[in-house]
C-alpha cells in the first residue's frame, strides 16, 4: 500500500486545491478526520465537512453536508476520504458525476481501492491513496523539519 | 520519497536538514539553547500537545538544532525520520521500548559491543524483557530462536570489537518472514560504509559519539526508522497499532502511517524516558557529519594498511579484520560493504594478556581509551576493560579474548601509527 507519489505531484495537488470536501469527518476533536480537516482549514483551504451522522450541524465554520449531492453548487476540487476502503467506490462514482470542478480524489492512510482509483484516473482525476494531506503538507512546506523527519528538501535558500 | 536531484552522499552530509535559519538567515545551524517555545495561542498549544501540529514545545521532546541533526541522519540512512537521544545505549532502549513489553524477548547477535551484551543480558530484565543470544552466521539458529514472544531481531553491521560483518540481507529475510523488525546498530560502519535500510533493516541505531561526531567530543545516540514496517500487520506491537491512552486513544500507526515510529519516539519515548540529546551536543555532531565521508575514507585506508602490516608481523598471533583478504568474512565484506569494512579490528598479541597490557602502556600516539571512531587512533584491551564484566566464553564469542587488543584506527599519518605500534610491540614482547 506504499504508493510512490513524486513530491512534485503532491506539491502540485496541494497548491492547486482550493476547496476540499472531507468525507467522514468526525466532530470529535481527537479523531484524525477532525483535526486533519481543521488543520487544512487553518492553512487556507476551504474545508466542507460531509457526514450524514452530523448533517446540518455546524463544524469548523461550515454546515455539515449529509451527502455529496448537496455540494453540486460548490467548486469542490478535492475529495478527501476518511472511510473504510470498501466504502470508496460509490464515493468516487458520485464525486465524478456530481462535482464538475473535481481534480483530485485523496484517500487517507489505510484507505485504498484500486478499481475506484482506476475509474477516477480514467476520468482525468488525480488519485492519491494511503496518504494524509496534512502530513504531506507538513513535510513539503517545512513543518515536519521541526520533528526530525526526512523531508527530502535540500535548499540553500531562506 | 523525493523526486528532486539525486544528491550524492557528500552533498547530503553537508546540507540535509540544514536550510538557512528561517529567523536570522544564519547559514550554519544555530544552537538553539532554549528549553521552551512560545505558543501562538491556546488553540496552537492544544494542537501541539495533541500531536495535531508539529512544532516546538519543550526541548525534552524537540529542539530546532537537534531536529536538523535528526533529519540529516535520517536522510543519510535513507529513513523517514530519526530521534536523537543522549547516547548509543539510550538509542538501543529507545528502539526497543515501543516494541517490547513484559515477557517479550529480542533475538540478538552474540557479536556485539560488550556494553550492549550487558545491557541486553542483564539490565533489560528489570523491564521484564529478555534477550536470546545467537550466532548470526547460523541462520537456522536465528530463525529457531524466534518464538511467539519475540518482538525484534538485533545486530551490529560492522561489529565491535571488530573483524565481523553481519550478513544483513540474510538476517532481514528471517525477520521479515517472522513478521518482526530488524534493528541494526550501524555505529561502526556509519551510513557512508553501510546502509542497513537498503538491505532490509527496519530500524537503525547509532552511537553518534563515534564516527558521526568524529572527534570524541560528545556522547549521543540516534534511532532511524525506515518507515517500511507494517506495525498493524499483527497484534504484536500495540504501542504503535492500538489506542494510546496518554493521547486520548490515538493510534500512532493509523494516524501517522510510515512516520508512526518516529512520532512515538518523540511523543512517548523522549517525553517519558527523557533521554534527550542537548542542542550543544547536536551542534558538534552536525559539524562532524559534514566531513564524515572524507574521514571514513582515511580511517579505512589507514586501517587496511595497519591490519596488513600487523598480519605479517611475527610478534602478532593473528589479526581479525574483515577488510583483510585472509578474513573468513572478506567476501561478505567486499559484497555488502564495498567502501570498506570499517576501521575497527582486533589483534592477538604473542605473549597473551601481559603482552597486551604492556603494548597498551607503551604506545605514544595511540590513546588507551574506552571509545572508538575518534580522529585519533585508539587502543583498548577489552578483556581487562570494556568486556571485563563478561564470562571468558562471552569474551571469546564477542572477539575479546584475553590475548586480544582492539584498535580504532584514526586519520593520522599512517607511517607514524606503524612506527608507534612497532616500538610498543618491541617493548611488549621483549623477553
Amino acid at each position: 500500500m506504499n504508493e510512490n507519489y513524486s513530491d512534485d505531484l503532491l506539491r502540485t495537488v496541494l497548491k492547486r486545491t482550493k476547496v476540499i470536501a472531507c468525507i467522514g469527518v468526525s466532530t470529535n476533536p481527537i479523531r484524525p478526520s477532525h483535526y486533519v480537516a481543521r488543520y487544512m482549514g487553518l492553512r487556507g483551504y476551504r474545508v466542507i465537512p460531509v457526514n450524514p451522522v452530523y448533517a446540518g450541524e455546524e463544524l469548523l465554520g461550515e454546515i455539515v453536508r449529509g451527502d455529496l449531492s448537496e455540494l453540486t453548487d460548490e467548486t469542490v476540487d478535492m475529495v478527501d476520504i476518511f472511510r473504510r476502503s470498501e466504502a470508496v467506490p460509490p464515493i468516487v462514482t458520485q464525486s465524478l458525476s456530481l462535482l464538475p470542478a473535481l481534480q483530485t480524489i485523496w484517500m487517507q492512510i489505510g484507505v485504498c481501492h484500486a478499481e475506484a482509483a482506476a475509474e477516477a484516473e480514467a476520468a482525468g482525476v488525480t488519485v492519491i491513496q494511503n496518504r494524509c494531506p496534512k502530513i504531506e503538507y507538513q513535510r513539503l512546506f517545512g513543518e515536519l523539519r521541526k520533528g526530525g523527519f526526512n523531508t527530502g528538501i535540500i535548499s540553500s535558500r531562506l | 520519497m523525493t523526486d528532486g536531484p539525486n544528491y550524492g552522499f557528500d552533498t547530503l552530509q553537508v546540507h540535509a536538514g540544514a536550510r538557512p535559519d528561517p529567523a536570522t538567515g544564519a547559514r550554519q545551524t544555530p544552537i538553539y539553547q532554549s528549553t521552551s517555545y512560545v505558543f501562538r495561542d491556546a488553540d496552537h498549544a492544544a494542537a501541539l500537545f495533541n500531536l495535531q501540529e508539529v512544532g516546538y514545545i519543550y526541548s525534552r521532546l524537540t529542539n530546532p538544532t537537534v531536529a536538523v541533526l535528526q533529519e540529516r541522519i535520517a536522510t543519510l540512512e535513507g529513513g523517514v525520520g530519526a530521534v536523537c537521544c543522549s547516547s548509543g545505549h539510550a538509542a538501543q532502549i529507545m528502539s526497543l521500548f515501543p516494541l517490547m513489553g513484559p515477557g517479550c524477548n529480542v533475538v540478538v547477535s552474540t557479536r556485539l559491543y560488550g556494553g550492549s551484551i550487558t545491557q541486553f543480558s542483564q539490565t533489560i530484565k528489570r523491564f521484564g524483557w529478555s534477550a536470546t543470544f545467537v550466532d548470526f552466521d547460523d541462520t537456522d539458529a536465528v530463525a529457531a530462536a524466534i518464538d511467539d514472544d519475540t518482538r525484534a531481531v538485533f545486530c551490529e553491521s560492522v561489529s565491535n570489537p571488530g573483524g565481523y560483518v553481519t550478513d544483513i540481507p540474510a538476517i532481514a529475510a528471517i525477520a521479515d518472514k517472522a513478521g518482526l523488525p530488524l534493528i541494526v546498530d550501524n555505529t561502526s560502519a556509519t551510513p557512508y560504509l553501510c546502509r542497513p535500510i537498503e538491505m532490509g533493516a527496519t530500524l537503525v541505531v547509532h552511537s553518534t559519539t563515534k564516527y558521526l561526531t568524529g572527534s570524541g567530543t560528545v556522547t549521543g545516540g540516534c534511532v532511524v526508522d525506515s518507515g517500511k514496517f507494517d506495525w498493524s500487520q499483527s497484534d504484536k506491537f500495540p504501542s504503535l497499532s492500538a489506542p494510546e491512552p496518554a493521547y486520548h486513544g490515538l493510534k500512532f500507526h493509523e494516524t501517522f502511517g510510515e512516520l508512526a515510529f518516529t512520532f512515538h519516539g518523540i511523543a512517548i519515548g523522549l517525553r517519558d524516558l527523557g533521554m534527550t540529546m542537548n542542542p550543544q551536543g547536536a551542534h558538534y555532531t552536525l559539524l562532524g557529519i559534514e566531513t564524515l565521508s572524507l574521514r571514513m575514507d582515511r580511517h579505512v585506508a589507514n586501517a587496511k594498511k595497519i591490519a596488513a602490516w600487523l598480519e605479517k608481523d611475527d610478534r602478532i598471533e593473528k589479526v581479525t579484520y574483515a577488510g583483510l583478504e585472509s578474513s573468513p568474512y572478506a567476501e561478505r565484506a567486499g559484497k555488502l560493504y564495498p567502501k570498506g569494512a570499517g576501521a575497527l579490528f582486533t589483534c592477538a598479541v604473542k605473549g597473551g594478556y601481559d603482552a597486551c597490557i604492556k603494548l597498551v602502556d607503551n604506545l605514544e600516539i595511540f590513546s588507551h581509551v574506552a571509545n572508538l571512531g575518534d580522529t585519533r587512533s585508539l587502543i583498548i584491551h577489552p578483556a581487562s576493560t570494556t568486556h571485563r564484566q563478561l564470562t571468558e566464553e562471552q569474551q571469546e564469542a564477542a572477539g575479546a579474548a584475553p590475548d586480544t587488543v582492539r584498535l580504532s584506527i584514526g586519520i593520522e599519518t599512517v607511517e607514524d601509527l606503524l612506527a608507534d605500534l612497532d616500538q610498543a610491540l618491541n617493548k611488549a614482547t621483549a623477553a
Side-chain angles (χ1 to χ4, degrees):
Chain A
M1 287 209 305
N2 266 325
E3 291 73 17
N4 281 316
Y5 302 105
S6 74
D7 286 355
D8 271 349
L9 172 70
L10 295 168
R11 205 180 277 118
T12 300
V13 165
L14 291 169
K15 278 187 174 168
R16 78 185 178 199
T17 299
K18 303 280 183 283
V19 183
I20 305 171
C22 269
I23 317 291
V25 168
S26 169
T27 55
N28 181 347
I30 63 152
R31 293 299 302 157
S33 62
H34 182 96
Y35 64 75
V36 169
R38 175 184 165 277
Y39 181 89
M40 299 309 277
L42 288 175
R43 292 295 173 270
Y45 299 94
R46 184 178 168 210
V47 178
I48 307 175
V50 180
N51 190 336
V53 179
Y54 309 114
E57 290 182 31
E58 195 183 322
L59 182 66
L60 305 170
E62 293 276 347
I63 301 297
V64 181
R65 313 301 210 279
D67 188 86
L68 279 169
S69 62
E70 296 169 42
L71 289 174
T72 48
D73 294 339
E74 307 286 357
T75 51
V76 173
D77 45 21
M78 179 164 123
V79 168
D80 185 12
I81 304 176
F82 286 89
R83 297 290 310 279
R84 290 171 191 281
S85 298
E86 308 88 87
V88 167
I91 296 170
V92 168
T93 305
Q94 212 186 4
S95 300
L96 293 174
S97 70
L98 296 176
L99 306 173
L102 185 71
Q103 289 186 290
T104 308
I105 298 270
W106 193 304
M107 304 182 207
Q108 288 291 139
I109 294 172
V111 185
C112 279
H113 200 290
E115 292 80 18
E119 182 190 347
E121 278 164 354
V125 169
T126 306
V127 178
I128 311 288
Q129 301 183 74
N130 192 33
R131 294 289 183 104
C132 174
K134 170 176 166 287
I135 289 177
E136 297 306 329
Y137 188 98
Q138 289 174 313
R139 182 173 71 82
L140 292 167
F141 301 107
E143 195 179 309
L144 278 188
R145 293 173 66 198
K146 300 176 181 178
F149 295 95
N150 181 358
T151 62
I153 296 163
I154 300 293
S155 175
S156 60
R157 295 171 183 279
L158 267 176
Chain B
M1 196 150 190
T2 174
D3 51 292
N6 200 7
Y7 290 115
F9 191 94
D10 297 345
T11 303
L12 295 174
Q13 73 185 0
V14 174
H15 288 281
R19 295 178 67 174
D21 179 52
T24 62
R27 182 59 279 224
Q28 182 52 280
T29 301
I31 302 167
Y32 277 93
Q33 201 69 61
S34 181
T35 54
S36 40
Y37 307 86
V38 173
F39 306 119
R40 287 194 304 271
D41 53 32
D43 279 349
H44 180 222
L48 288 172
F49 276 102
N50 286 341
L51 307 182
Q52 296 163 1
E53 284 187 48
V54 180
Y56 306 115
I57 299 175
Y58 187 61
S59 284
R60 172 155 43 83
L61 293 88
T62 46
N63 170 277
T65 309
V66 178
V68 172
L69 176 60
Q70 290 170 156
E71 182 170 356
R72 183 162 309 165
I73 299 174
T75 304
L76 295 178
E77 287 286 3
V80 294
V83 179
C84 280
C85 50
S86 51
S87 71
H89 260 39
Q92 290 177 178
I93 294 295
M94 291 277 293
S95 72
L96 289 173
F97 185 70
L99 315 178
M100 305 280 277
C104 294
N105 69 69
V106 53
V107 170
V108 179
S109 170
T110 48
R111 296 179 183 88
L112 288 191
Y113 160 53
S116 299
I117 293 175
T118 308
Q119 186 187 42
F120 289 143
S121 65
Q122 304 300 327
T123 305
I124 65 170
K125 287 189 207 160
R126 317 275 175 92
F127 303 140
W129 309 347
S130 63
T132 309
F133 288 86
V134 189
D135 175 356
F136 270 38
D137 274 349
D138 186 346
T139 48
D140 289 343
V142 175
I146 293 170
D147 64 26
D148 289 346
D149 296 322
T150 304
R151 292 294 179 272
V153 178
F154 187 100
C155 62
E156 294 176 357
S157 49
V158 170
S159 86
N160 174 4
Y164 181 79
V165 292
T166 303
D167 186 350
I168 297 173
I171 301 298
I174 295 168
D176 188 52
K177 199 174 167 200
L180 295 174
L182 170 64
I183 308 171
V184 175
D185 183 334
N186 200 30
T187 298
S188 304
T190 81
Y192 180 64
L193 299 180
C194 173
R195 307 237 301 170
I197 289 171
E198 286 173 3
M199 300 186 206
T202 302
L203 303 170
V204 175
V205 295
H206 277 281
S207 166
T208 59
T209 315
K210 312 302 188 306
Y211 295 103
L212 294 182
T213 304
S215 294
T217 47
V218 289
T219 65
C222 186
V223 185
V224 182
D225 178 27
S226 66
K228 291 177 180 166
F229 195 85
D230 180 1
W231 304 108
S232 304
Q233 67 180 277
S234 70
D235 58 4
K236 287 183 174 173
F237 306 102
S239 293
L240 294 158
S241 64
E244 168 56 50
Y247 282 103
H248 315 289
L250 172 149
K251 297 176 187 170
F252 277 90
H253 191 214
E254 175 197 82
T255 306
F256 301 115
E258 64 181 15
L259 308 182
F261 193 93
T262 304
F263 266 103
H264 190 277
I266 298 166
I268 305 287
L270 289 179
R271 189 195 66 174
D272 294 341
L273 300 178
M275 303 188 279
T276 307
M277 175 181 279
N278 69 73
Q280 188 80 34
H283 166 71
Y284 290 124
T285 305
L286 280 166
L287 291 187
I289 290 179
E290 291 186 3
T291 59
L292 179 64
S293 63
L294 310 179
R295 287 183 287 109
M296 291 313 291
D297 277 336
R298 174 64 75 86
H299 279 295
V300 167
N302 280 0
K304 278 185 176 170
K305 282 182 195 157
I306 292 169
W309 180 84
L310 286 168
E311 189 177 40
K312 287 191 202 131
D313 195 289
D314 57 13
R315 293 164 294 186
I316 298 298
E317 198 73 54
K318 69 170 178 190
V319 179
T320 310
Y321 178 47
L324 284 173
E325 278 177 30
S326 59
S327 166
Y329 300 106
E331 193 189 330
R332 183 187 294 172
K335 192 172 135 213
L336 298 178
Y337 305 80
K339 290 202 195 96
L344 190 67
F345 61 84
T346 61
C347 68
V349 183
K350 284 182 183 162
Y353 191 98
D354 293 341
C356 288
I357 302 275
K358 277 194 216 161
L359 168 65
V360 168
D361 281 348
N362 281 291
L363 285 159
E364 294 292 340
I365 296 177
F366 279 81
S367 305
H368 181 201
V369 300
N371 189 27
L372 64 90
D374 196 324
T375 48
R376 279 153 282 271
S377 289
L378 313 174
I379 190 166
I380 198 157
H381 181 222
S384 63
T385 55
T386 53
H387 288 58
R388 75 175 297 140
Q389 273 87 12
L390 307 184
T391 64
E392 208 159 306
E393 192 185 16
Q394 283 176 316
Q395 289 176 350
E396 293 274 0
D403 67 346
T404 298
V405 290
R406 183 193 73 189
L407 294 93
S408 169
I409 302 300
I411 61 172
E412 303 99 324
T413 304
V414 71
E415 289 77 15
D416 295 338
L417 299 175
L418 292 170
D420 192 30
L421 287 167
D422 188 43
Q423 63 81 19
L425 278 168
N426 277 340
K427 289 171 185 156
T429 55

Coordinates of all heavy atoms in Angstrom, one line a residue, chain B residues 127-177:
Chain B
F127 N 13.0 -4.6 33.1 CA 11.7 -4.2 32.5 C 10.9 -5.4 32.2 O 9.8 -5.3 31.6 CB 12.0 -3.5 31.1 CG 12.9 -2.3 31.2 CD1 13.8 -2.0 30.2 CD2 12.7 -1.4 32.2 CE1 14.6 -0.9 30.3 CE2 13.5 -0.2 32.3 CZ 14.5 0.0 31.3
G128 N 11.3 -6.6 32.6 CA 10.6 -7.8 32.2 C 10.9 -8.3 30.8 O 10.2 -9.1 30.3
W129 N 11.9 -7.7 30.1 CA 12.3 -8.1 28.8 C 13.4 -9.1 28.9 O 14.1 -9.2 30.0 CB 12.8 -6.9 28.0 CG 12.0 -5.7 27.9 CD1 10.7 -5.5 28.3 CD2 12.4 -4.4 27.4 NE1 10.3 -4.2 28.1 CE2 11.3 -3.5 27.6 CE3 13.6 -3.9 26.9 CZ2 11.4 -2.2 27.2 CZ3 13.7 -2.6 26.5 CH2 12.6 -1.7 26.7
S130 N 13.7 -9.8 27.8 CA 14.9 -10.7 27.8 C 15.4 -10.7 26.4 O 14.8 -10.3 25.4 CB 14.5 -12.1 28.3 OG 13.6 -12.7 27.4
A131 N 16.7 -11.2 26.4 CA 17.4 -11.4 25.1 C 17.8 -12.8 24.9 O 18.3 -13.4 25.8 CB 18.6 -10.4 25.0
T132 N 17.7 -13.3 23.6 CA 18.2 -14.6 23.3 C 19.4 -14.4 22.4 O 19.3 -13.8 21.3 CB 17.1 -15.4 22.5 OG1 15.9 -15.4 23.3 CG2 17.6 -16.9 22.3
F133 N 20.6 -14.8 22.8 CA 21.8 -14.6 22.0 C 22.1 -15.8 21.1 O 22.0 -16.9 21.5 CB 23.0 -14.4 23.0 CG 23.0 -13.1 23.7 CD1 22.3 -12.9 24.9 CD2 23.7 -12.0 23.1 CE1 22.3 -11.7 25.5 CE2 23.6 -10.8 23.8 CZ 22.9 -10.6 25.0
V134 N 22.3 -15.4 19.8 CA 22.5 -16.4 18.8 C 23.7 -16.1 17.9 O 24.0 -14.9 17.7 CB 21.3 -16.6 17.9 CG1 21.4 -17.8 17.0 CG2 20.0 -16.7 18.7
D135 N 24.4 -17.1 17.4 CA 25.4 -16.9 16.4 C 24.7 -16.5 15.1 O 24.0 -17.3 14.5 CB 26.3 -18.1 16.2 CG 27.3 -18.0 15.1 OD1 27.3 -17.0 14.4 OD2 28.0 -19.0 14.9
F136 N 24.9 -15.3 14.6 CA 24.1 -14.8 13.4 C 24.6 -15.4 12.1 O 24.0 -15.1 11.1 CB 24.0 -13.3 13.4 CG 22.8 -12.8 14.2 CD1 22.4 -13.4 15.4 CD2 22.0 -11.7 13.7 CE1 21.2 -12.9 16.0 CE2 20.9 -11.2 14.4 CZ 20.5 -11.8 15.5
D137 N 25.8 -16.1 12.2 CA 26.2 -16.8 11.0 C 25.4 -18.1 10.8 O 25.4 -18.7 9.7 CB 27.7 -17.2 11.0 CG 28.5 -16.0 10.5 OD1 27.9 -15.1 9.9 OD2 29.7 -16.1 10.7
D138 N 24.7 -18.5 11.9 CA 23.9 -19.8 11.8 C 22.4 -19.3 11.6 O 21.7 -19.1 12.6 CB 24.1 -20.5 13.1 CG 23.3 -21.9 13.1 OD1 22.5 -22.1 12.2 OD2 23.6 -22.7 14.0
T139 N 22.1 -19.1 10.4 CA 20.7 -18.5 10.1 C 19.6 -19.4 10.6 O 18.5 -18.9 11.0 CB 20.6 -18.2 8.6 OG1 21.0 -19.3 7.8 CG2 21.4 -17.0 8.2
D140 N 19.8 -20.7 10.5 CA 18.8 -21.6 11.0 C 18.6 -21.4 12.5 O 17.4 -21.4 13.0 CB 19.2 -23.1 10.8 CG 19.1 -23.5 9.3 OD1 18.5 -22.7 8.6 OD2 19.7 -24.5 9.0
A141 N 19.7 -21.2 13.2 CA 19.6 -20.9 14.7 C 18.9 -19.6 15.0 O 18.1 -19.5 15.9 CB 20.9 -21.0 15.3
V142 N 19.1 -18.6 14.1 CA 18.4 -17.3 14.3 C 16.9 -17.5 14.1 O 16.1 -17.1 15.0 CB 18.9 -16.3 13.3 CG1 18.1 -15.0 13.4 CG2 20.4 -16.0 13.5
A143 N 16.5 -18.2 13.1 CA 15.1 -18.5 12.8 C 14.5 -19.3 14.0 O 13.4 -19.0 14.4 CB 14.9 -19.2 11.5
A144 N 15.3 -20.3 14.5 CA 14.7 -21.2 15.5 C 14.6 -20.4 16.9 O 13.8 -20.8 17.7 CB 15.7 -22.4 15.7
A145 N 15.4 -19.4 17.1 CA 15.4 -18.7 18.3 C 14.2 -17.7 18.4 O 13.8 -17.3 19.5 CB 16.7 -17.8 18.5
I146 N 13.5 -17.5 17.3 CA 12.4 -16.6 17.3 C 11.1 -17.4 17.8 O 10.9 -18.5 17.3 CB 12.1 -16.0 15.9 CG1 13.2 -15.1 15.5 CG2 10.7 -15.3 15.8 CD1 13.2 -14.7 14.0
D147 N 10.5 -16.9 18.8 CA 9.3 -17.5 19.3 C 8.1 -16.5 19.3 O 8.2 -15.4 18.8 CB 9.5 -18.2 20.7 CG 9.8 -17.1 21.8 OD1 9.4 -16.0 21.6 OD2 10.5 -17.5 22.8
D148 N 7.0 -16.9 19.9 CA 5.8 -16.0 19.9 C 6.0 -14.7 20.6 O 5.2 -13.8 20.4 CB 4.6 -16.8 20.5 CG 4.1 -17.9 19.5 OD1 4.5 -17.9 18.4 OD2 3.3 -18.8 20.0
D149 N 6.9 -14.7 21.6 CA 7.1 -13.5 22.4 C 8.2 -12.6 21.8 O 8.6 -11.6 22.4 CB 7.4 -13.9 23.8 CG 6.3 -14.6 24.5 OD1 5.1 -14.2 24.2 OD2 6.5 -15.6 25.2
T150 N 8.9 -13.1 20.7 CA 9.9 -12.2 20.1 C 9.3 -11.0 19.5 O 8.3 -11.1 18.8 CB 10.7 -13.1 19.1 OG1 11.2 -14.2 19.7 CG2 11.9 -12.2 18.6
R151 N 9.9 -9.9 19.7 CA 9.4 -8.6 19.1 C 10.4 -7.9 18.2 O 10.1 -6.9 17.6 CB 9.0 -7.7 20.2 CG 7.8 -8.2 21.0 CD 6.5 -8.2 20.2 NE 5.3 -8.7 20.9 CZ 5.0 -10.0 21.0 NH1 5.8 -10.9 20.4 NH2 4.0 -10.4 21.7
A152 N 11.7 -8.4 18.2 CA 12.7 -7.7 17.4 C 13.9 -8.6 17.2 O 14.1 -9.5 18.0 CB 13.1 -6.4 17.9
V153 N 14.7 -8.4 16.2 CA 15.9 -9.0 15.9 C 17.0 -7.9 15.9 O 16.7 -6.9 15.3 CB 15.9 -9.8 14.6 CG1 17.3 -10.5 14.3 CG2 14.8 -10.8 14.6
F154 N 18.1 -8.1 16.6 CA 19.1 -7.0 16.7 C 20.5 -7.5 16.4 O 20.9 -8.6 16.9 CB 19.1 -6.6 18.2 CG 19.9 -5.3 18.5 CD1 19.3 -4.1 18.6 CD2 21.2 -5.4 18.6 CE1 20.0 -2.9 18.8 CE2 22.0 -4.3 18.9 CZ 21.4 -3.0 19.0
C155 N 21.2 -6.7 15.6 CA 22.7 -7.0 15.4 C 23.4 -5.7 15.1 O 22.8 -4.6 14.9 CB 22.8 -8.0 14.2 SG 22.1 -7.3 12.6
E156 N 24.7 -5.8 15.0 CA 25.6 -4.7 14.5 C 26.0 -4.9 13.1 O 26.1 -6.1 12.7 CB 26.8 -4.6 15.4 CG 26.5 -4.2 16.9 CD 27.7 -4.2 17.8 OE1 28.8 -4.5 17.4 OE2 27.4 -3.8 19.0
S157 N 26.2 -3.9 12.3 CA 26.6 -4.1 10.9 C 28.0 -4.5 10.9 O 28.3 -5.7 10.6 CB 26.4 -2.8 10.1 OG 26.9 -1.7 10.8
V158 N 29.0 -3.6 11.1 CA 30.3 -4.0 11.4 C 30.4 -4.1 12.9 O 30.2 -3.1 13.6 CB 31.3 -2.9 10.9 CG1 32.7 -3.2 11.4 CG2 31.3 -2.8 9.4
S159 N 30.7 -5.3 13.4 CA 30.6 -5.5 14.8 C 31.8 -4.9 15.6 O 32.9 -4.8 15.1 CB 30.4 -6.9 15.2 OG 31.6 -7.6 15.3
N160 N 31.5 -4.5 16.8 CA 32.5 -4.1 17.8 C 32.8 -5.3 18.7 O 31.8 -5.9 19.2 CB 32.0 -2.9 18.5 CG 32.8 -2.4 19.7 OD1 33.9 -2.9 19.9 ND2 32.3 -1.5 20.4
P161 N 34.0 -5.8 18.9 CA 35.3 -5.1 18.7 C 35.9 -5.4 17.3 O 37.0 -5.0 17.1 CB 36.2 -5.7 19.8 CG 35.6 -7.1 20.0 CD 34.2 -7.0 19.8
G162 N 35.1 -5.8 16.4 CA 35.7 -5.8 15.0 C 35.9 -7.2 14.4 O 35.9 -8.2 15.1
G163 N 36.2 -7.2 13.1 CA 36.6 -8.4 12.5 C 35.4 -9.2 11.9 O 35.5 -10.1 11.2
Y164 N 34.2 -8.7 12.2 CA 33.0 -9.4 11.8 C 32.0 -8.4 11.1 O 31.8 -7.3 11.6 CB 32.3 -10.0 13.0 CG 31.0 -10.8 12.6 CD1 31.1 -12.1 12.0 CD2 29.8 -10.3 12.7 CE1 30.0 -12.8 11.6 CE2 28.6 -10.9 12.4 CZ 28.7 -12.2 11.8 OH 27.6 -12.9 11.4
V165 N 31.5 -8.8 10.0 CA 30.4 -8.0 9.4 C 29.2 -8.9 9.2 O 29.3 -10.1 8.8 CB 30.8 -7.5 8.0 CG1 31.9 -6.4 8.2 CG2 31.3 -8.5 7.1
T166 N 28.0 -8.4 9.6 CA 26.8 -9.2 9.6 C 26.2 -9.2 8.2 O 26.3 -8.3 7.4 CB 25.8 -8.6 10.5 OG1 26.3 -8.5 11.8 CG2 24.5 -9.4 10.6
D167 N 25.7 -10.4 7.8 CA 25.0 -10.6 6.5 C 23.6 -10.0 6.7 O 22.6 -10.8 6.9 CB 25.0 -12.1 6.1 CG 24.5 -12.3 4.7 OD1 23.9 -11.3 4.2 OD2 24.5 -13.4 4.3
I168 N 23.5 -8.7 6.6 CA 22.2 -8.1 6.9 C 21.1 -8.6 6.0 O 20.0 -8.8 6.5 CB 22.3 -6.5 6.9 CG1 23.3 -6.1 8.0 CG2 21.0 -5.8 7.1 CD1 23.7 -4.6 7.9
P169 N 21.3 -8.7 4.7 CA 20.1 -9.2 3.9 C 19.6 -10.5 4.4 O 18.4 -10.8 4.4 CB 20.7 -9.3 2.5 CG 21.8 -8.3 2.5 CD 22.4 -8.3 3.9
A170 N 20.5 -11.4 4.8 CA 20.1 -12.8 5.2 C 19.3 -12.7 6.5 O 18.2 -13.4 6.6 CB 21.3 -13.7 5.4
I171 N 19.7 -11.9 7.4 CA 19.0 -11.7 8.7 C 17.7 -11.0 8.5 O 16.7 -11.3 9.1 CB 19.9 -11.0 9.7 CG1 21.3 -11.7 9.9 CG2 19.2 -10.8 11.0 CD1 21.1 -13.1 10.5
A172 N 17.7 -10.0 7.6 CA 16.5 -9.2 7.3 C 15.4 -10.2 6.8 O 14.2 -10.0 7.1 CB 16.8 -8.1 6.4
A173 N 15.8 -11.1 5.9 CA 14.9 -12.0 5.3 C 14.2 -12.9 6.4 O 13.0 -13.2 6.4 CB 15.6 -12.9 4.3
I174 N 15.0 -13.3 7.4 CA 14.5 -14.1 8.5 C 13.5 -13.3 9.3 O 12.4 -13.8 9.7 CB 15.6 -14.7 9.4 CG1 16.5 -15.6 8.6 CG2 15.1 -15.3 10.7 CD1 17.8 -15.9 9.3
A175 N 13.9 -12.1 9.7 CA 13.0 -11.2 10.5 C 11.7 -10.9 9.7 O 10.6 -11.0 10.3 CB 13.7 -9.9 10.8
D176 N 11.8 -10.7 8.4 CA 10.7 -10.3 7.6 C 9.7 -11.5 7.6 O 8.5 -11.3 7.7 CB 11.1 -10.0 6.2 CG 10.0 -9.5 5.4 OD1 9.3 -8.5 5.8 OD2 9.8 -10.0 4.3
K177 N 10.2 -12.7 7.4 CA 9.4 -13.9 7.4 C 8.6 -14.1 8.7 O 7.5 -14.6 8.7 CB 10.3 -15.1 7.1 CG 9.5 -16.3 6.5 CD 10.4 -17.4 6.1 CE 9.6 -18.7 5.9 NZ 10.5 -19.9 6.0

